[in-house]
Amino acid sequence: MHQYTKKELVDLITGKLRRNFGRDVDEATNLHMFKACAMVLRDIMSERQMVTEDKIQRTHARQVHYLSLEFLMGRSLMKNAYNLGVVEPLKEAIESLGFSAADLFESEPDAGLGNGGLGRLAACYLDSMTTLDIPATGYSICYELGIFKQKIVDGQQVELADNWLGLGDAWLIPKMDEIETVRFGGKVEDVWENGQHSIRHTGYDTVLAVPKDMEIAGYKTEHVNILRLWDAKSPVPVDMSLFSQGAYLKAVEQKAMAESISKILYPEDNHREGKALRLKQQYFFVSATVQSIVRKHRAEYGTLRNFHKKHVIQINDTHPTLVIPELMRILLDEEGYGWDEAWHIVTHTVAYTNHTVMAEALECWPQDLVSSLLPRIWQIIIEIAKRYQEELTTYFRGDMGRVEPMAIIWGGNVRMANLCICACYAVNGVSALHSGILKKDVFHDAYVRTPDKFKNVTNGIDHRRWLAECNPELDLLIKECCGGPKYLLRPEALKDLEKYKDDASVLERLSKIKRDNKLAFASYVAKESGIILNTDAMFDVQVKRLHEYKRQLLNVMHIIYLYQNLKRNPNFLTTPKVYLFGAKAAPGYHVAKEIIHLINSLAATINADPVCKDKLQVVFLENYRVSLAEKLMPASELSEQISTAGKEASGTGNMKFMMNGAVTIGTLDGANVEMHEVLGDENIFLFGLKAHEVTEIKNKGYKPYEYYMRNGDIKAVIDQLSKGFDDGVSYDNLTRMLLFGNGSAPDQYMLLADFESYRAAQLAASQTYLDRKRWNQMSLLNIARSGIFAADRSICDYARDIWDVPVRKI
């Protein structure tokens, strides 16, 4: 691999400034400089990507196509520089040209093309697939506006547009010669000519899918993969005849309608227009993707009969499910294959990752919407559903009580997860507990019928980004203790750190690293918001999407309990605590927004009360995103992973905290179970009901009101919620939801049932924190045993158990 020097990079950057922007260095702005640096790295990657593509074609290697409606990429300048091995010479080059490298890296907007864990996982997996030399392409939509920018106004979330493309498009390479055409609506009719059957599709609307490729560099490899983002364009930009008549809005209507598909990440779908747009997004991106893969395959092999031997399509959750009928459509209508042959190819090509056990999150589409928007796809789904239902009816000997939950079309809806279970050759959960629940409960009868189809691949994180890059002091310590940089490609080498668990100097250094990271984070928060964090207190952190099952509200209830006791007894808290929250609520999720309002109400009251000074502080971090997480994870000390057992598929934030030496307080849920297996009881603070106990209590009839009446502390907390805080806002709605339910079961996520256990675990964590040696040992052991949660391990599992592709020997 060529090692670029500072001088070479200076020459390349100044060349870009002149050729692309017509500027000398002394005339360039930060924007010009950022784009020039991005283009230089892009050129390096492009060269390598062409070599990678040539090698794939020469060897006829099997390719992985990873389809996800979300890719939460974050920033790319530092990441690409790191993987290409040019961070230091690039920093030196930038500084020598009179710019601040730190400011330049910080100026890049996050590519926020995702909501949370699902999208961030896809980004981590792309990095690992590339690092392990797997020929892979990611596919998604080139959303003009990513996940919204969150502003807190009067304690409440306000959503602002996140226009990341201003600088972010420096990474995108439009491929205008690879545009695909996607059809919506119209009508479909059967045509018979000379005894041959074909399909005629007329009266449809056309949208063009323009590929914009983002190159992905692997670590210490020449291999480069692609993230292909599809941009929606109208084939007729403006109707000139209407424009000439003065009907200006009507003239651009078709353009606006087409481009709305790639305008915004996940439109609200609590109305028909939003549902239609989201379904359009899903079909748009899978249709363009499959057409693109097929076109290249046909050019190389002249037939699609070997398609399943050369490609695996991994769908990340149910959002890309329409890839199944779309590939069938191409094989049936364009290639003229018979149903059985086409079905054989599809069912040996597509694999499905399930990310949820919650019934409300398993996607269903109204059949009238599918039939009107995608008439041919609807016909194919009907045929798949009919054949599948016949098979199930035979297998279960006519027991419709077992057939109905597995049916693809039922009650006027198309059930996407069941379509995946029917058609995909592999179905995997994302943690041992989650995969077990899929087999025992959610898809039990499907598992009984086809047990070999079900797999587990526990999620993982890109440890190069989430440890080495974001925590350079810790990276240095690990390299000194674990045989140099080998852990960067062999994360299991982190276990060598365990040898130092009784080494006072290493523990002291680990403590100093955490302290430095806390000070750095506090400095950032002060600059951004003016809030001064108490860095002598424990940083107790809960950052993730705001969702009821993740139980931010349980955390808040405990803080209210602490505050009430602190008011009665100023010496109540022996360990000072700073509670840090970061979360975005989906714009239409009213309860989640109310919880954000509550956190801010509580924070304002506590932070203004003299009795809490230097003892208790609550801060809601505005606009939580990847780049903020990269600063926060290294500074965190207690990691809140407190979802109701059996609800969180895996979690990946829990892994990032663990890898940066935070100790977990959590339930036995998702990957916490596997974390507990490697940590033991003594290096994690566990509490709460287990998944089977949650089910048992609910089956017996859970009565949260009884906890309220029997437990004075719970009653005081709930009463305070009703009454509200200094801003005069009552949270009576949340109170009623907990005690009586609001159209659903009361306290369906078991906050009151777990409150006492959570309080005890919090107390244990606070007392342990006072024993600095013991806490630092726990921190060190968390880091040492976190290697199993690296994405490289996850991708090796996929490659071996699902994809059947080789990985780079390291």
Side-chain angles (χ1 to χ4, degrees), residues 42 45-46 49 80 173 213-217 224-226:
R42 204 177 78 182
M45 292 188 288
S46 289
Q49 197 270 324
N80 285 328
I173 304 171
D213 289 354
M214 183 184 281
E215 285 152 335
I216 308 295
V224 171
N225 282 325
I226 292 288

Side-chain angles (χ1 to χ4, degrees), residues 557 560 564 705 708-709 711-725 729-732 735 738-739:
M557 286 169 60
I560 295 170
Q564 289 175 331
Y705 192 74
Y708 170 80
M709 292 307 292
N711 186 313
D713 291 325
I714 289 177
K715 186 175 188 303
V717 167
I718 297 284
D719 290 348
Q720 184 73 60
L721 269 181
S722 270
K723 189 172 144 209
F725 301 92
V729 178
S730 163
Y731 293 94
D732 196 45
T735 303
L738 288 172
L739 297 180

Side-chain angles (χ1 to χ4, degrees), residues 38 42-43 45-46 49-50 53 73 76 80 113 126 136-142 164-165 168-179 209-216 224-231 289 292 296:
R42 204 177 78 182
D43 284 353
M45 292 188 288
S46 289
Q49 197 270 324
M50 287 165 71
E53 204 167 311
M73 300 301 289
S76 293
N80 285 328
L113 308 184
L126 268 186
T137 310
Y139 301 87
S140 195
I141 292 175
C142 190
W164 69 285
L165 281 168
D169 70 351
W171 301 110
L172 301 178
I173 304 171
K175 296 281 177 71
M176 304 308 289
D177 57 329
E178 295 187 38
I179 291 174
V210 180
K212 294 188 172 177
D213 289 354
M214 183 184 281
E215 285 152 335
I216 308 295
V224 171
N225 282 325
I226 292 288
L227 169 60
R228 172 156 284 192
L229 300 171
W230 294 103
D231 194 14
T289 297
S292 171
K296 289 176 182 175

Side-chain angles (χ1 to χ4, degrees), residues 560-805:
I560 295 170
Y561 158 79
L562 294 180
Y563 179 49
Q564 289 175 331
N565 281 276
L566 202 53
K567 292 285 278 182
R568 283 195 289 271
N569 172 13
N571 298 316
F572 177 74
L573 264 183
T574 51
T575 304
K577 297 285 285 283
V578 173
Y579 285 93
L580 295 165
F581 291 88
K584 290 179 179 177
Y589 191 170
H590 300 299
V591 173
K593 286 183 146 182
E594 197 170 3
I595 293 169
I596 288 177
H597 196 185
L598 166 63
I599 294 167
N600 285 300
S601 289
L602 178 62
T605 299
I606 285 175
N607 299 344
D609 193 330
V611 85
C612 297
K613 186 169 167 48
D614 298 330
K615 293 176 182 169
L616 185 61
Q617 187 177 15
V618 180
V619 176
F620 186 89
L621 300 164
E622 189 177 75
N623 199 34
Y624 182 61
R625 60 202 183 280
V626 174
S627 55
L628 176 55
E630 288 169 341
K631 297 176 176 67
L632 176 60
M633 296 295 174
S636 302
E637 293 175 291
L638 191 67
S639 158
E640 299 268 356
Q641 306 299 330
I642 60 176
S643 53
T644 314
K647 294 297 181 189
E648 184 70 85
S650 162
T652 47
N654 47 2
M655 301 167 186
K656 292 162 196 163
F657 282 112
M658 180 187 186
M659 216 170 251
N660 281 281
V663 182
T664 299
I665 181 167
T667 49
L668 277 172
D669 196 26
N672 289 0
V673 173
E674 286 143 288
M675 285 164 58
H676 172 240
E677 280 173 12
V678 297
L679 290 169
D681 290 344
E682 63 281 8
N683 296 302
I684 187 170
F685 297 103
L686 288 180
F687 75 93
L689 299 165
K690 298 179 178 65
H692 69 91
E693 293 169 335
V694 168
T695 307
E696 285 163 18
I697 289 178
K698 285 192 172 180
N699 289 342
K700 282 180 193 163
Y702 172 51
K703 298 184 178 66
Y705 192 74
E706 291 180 3
Y707 288 85
Y708 170 80
M709 292 307 292
R710 285 202 302 256
N711 186 313
D713 291 325
I714 289 177
K715 186 175 188 303
V717 167
I718 297 284
D719 290 348
Q720 184 73 60
L721 269 181
S722 270
K723 189 172 144 209
F725 301 92
D726 289 356
D727 59 5
V729 178
S730 163
Y731 293 94
D732 196 45
N733 179 48
L734 294 177
T735 303
R736 284 199 311 275
M737 192 176 72
L738 288 172
L739 297 180
F740 311 111
N742 273 0
S744 61
D747 188 21
Q748 59 179 321
Y749 298 110
M750 319 290 281
L751 281 70
L752 274 61
D754 273 351
F755 182 84
E756 276 301 322
S757 178
Y758 179 55
R759 182 173 70 168
Q762 279 279 356
L763 184 60
S766 293
Q767 288 171 341
T768 307
Y769 189 75
L770 297 174
D771 180 348
R772 297 312 296 156
K773 182 186 175 190
R774 176 78 194 103
W775 187 271
N776 290 331
Q777 281 179 323
M778 290 174 78
S779 178
L780 179 137
L781 288 168
N782 268 268
I783 300 162
R785 296 176 188 178
S786 67
I788 191 174
F789 299 112
D792 289 4
R793 189 269 314 147
S794 303
I795 291 302
C796 284
D797 289 353
Y798 273 108
R800 181 191 65 237
D801 299 337
I802 296 177
W803 300 338
D804 190 25
V805 294

Side-chain angles (χ1 to χ4, degrees), residues 46-63:
S46 289
E47 212 170 296
R48 294 181 181 182
Q49 197 270 324
M50 287 165 71
V51 174
T52 300
E53 204 167 311
D54 184 56
K55 183 183 169 191
I56 293 166
Q57 284 180 340
R58 271 197 337 274
T59 57
H60 301 298
R62 191 176 202 207
Q63 296 177 56

